[in-house]
Amino acid sequence: MDCCAHEGPTAGDARFDLRRVADGVHVAVAAPAYKVNSNTAIIESDGGVVIVDTHSKPSAARVIVEHVRELTKTPVRFVVNTHFHWDHWHGNEVYPAAYPGAEIITNQLTREAMVRKGLKRIQDHVRQVPAEVARLRSDLAAATTPEQRARLQADLRLAESYLAEVRALKPALPTMAFERTMKLYRRDREIHLLYLGRAHTEGDVFVHLPTERTVITGDAVIGWTPFMGDGYPEDWVTTLDRLAELDFDTIIMGHGEPAGRDWLRTFRGYVHDMVEAVREEVATGASLDEVKQRVPPRLAPTYEKAFATYEHYRPWRAGLLANIERTYALVS
């Protein structure tokens, strides 16, 4: 991977490590944040810049717009959303405002999920975050050390800022949708948007750059234990097998550093082995509690160390137990 990194512009807790993956292809790797941000891919072309995913809030998307303007005078023409989760599309509104005429693209399944579930979750945040703010204020009042106070004050500022943003959010739904495949042919680049099957959600979109041998996966592949709350663990492996058939060397993931095919094999192995272990336990009549006791020791020797690299994002054991619960509910 031809990768050059530097600290990019920031706003609040939106901090990104900017990396050049290939000629005209960049990734803004999101740093840990109070409200998680996704990575963003920036694809330059003579027909306009293509952005993949827009973070958890407009202020984070504006950070990327600032960087794009430093990179190129070419306007953003397309924004791609890989799936309906809030941390990948709540910044959508920034792009048509900054670049009139910019189109937002996803597949039909994801657009429907945004309408059916994503819009409701915005209102859930509006209702839930005030309680989070109240808890932080209470914790701050009870803090006993300067370190605790400083941390809680910072978290409180970020929570209050996020609440203001989510209350003011103007959700920008995709303006274009495809079913299985959409291809953008530029004079200097070919960009394939693909639906390969259910995985992290019902409608995960993959972006393949065949000439640059790069694939952008959203959260169908990430750098730590995956979230399966809206996922389809039994389908996930088949979808990843279809992904592996594409011609690429570099993976730009939804979260975590760019990776290669070795990580795809590890990630696929985890999903496969977890599902098979749960299936085997269910076949014996094991209860959920029994499955949660028996499966982690089976997987830990192979996967715990690999997935613990990003322990501060999603602890290995907590993530695994949540994945076991989701899989148990589906297979039993």
Side-chain angles (χ1 to χ4, degrees), residues 84 109 113 116-117 195 197-204 230 232:
F84 81 94
L109 288 169
R116 193 174 68 256
K117 296 183 281 191
Y195 174 63
R198 300 190 300 186
H200 179 64
T201 66
E202 61 265 51
D204 300 283
D230 293 305
Y232 298 85

Side-chain angles (χ1 to χ4, degrees), residues 5-41:
H6 68 279
E7 181 81 14
T10 66
D13 63 346
R15 292 176 172 81
F16 300 95
D17 187 15
L18 302 168
R19 298 180 180 273
R20 178 180 177 275
V21 174
D23 185 28
V25 180
H26 314 265
V27 57
V29 179
Y34 185 77
K35 294 295 183 185
V36 64
N37 287 309
S38 66
N39 293 345
T40 282

